[in-house]
Amino acid sequence: MIGSIPHPLTPEIAEKIESSPKVLELHPEVMSQRMSTGSIIPAFFLMTENSACAVVENESQDGYRLLTKGEIEDEDMVYSDLQEWCEQNGYQETH
């Protein structure tokens, strides 16, 4: 599923993905302004019917990669890993 997410992910595309019946939540953790593409989402929390995932930009492959994946019950741990990655990479939270 991660491989099918377009890069760069814009807020508009994220809304369309979140409306998928398999996706329970797609929460952009941070936003980044890029001159060529406008606002993009370099890191986000994704919850599906079966799992909670922290997904981050993989610039070396021009796409996204799975940072952490867990069961739905592991949501807090997965989200914590995502926040830590954002801090280490110099991103500010969107909320």
Side-chain angles (χ1 to χ4, degrees), residues 33-52:
Q33 293 292 325
R34 307 267 169 95
M35 287 182 62
S36 61
T37 56
S39 293
I40 70 148
I41 302 168
F44 56 93
F45 176 80
L46 178 68
M47 185 176 293
T48 67
E49 299 168 324
N50 303 315
S51 59

Side-chain angles (χ1 to χ4, degrees), residues 70-84:
E71 301 294 320
I72 291 177
E73 301 82 35
D74 300 325
E75 175 182 355
D76 290 340
M77 180 267 309
V78 171
Y79 192 74
S80 177
D81 286 352
L82 180 59
Q83 288 177 316
E84 184 176 321

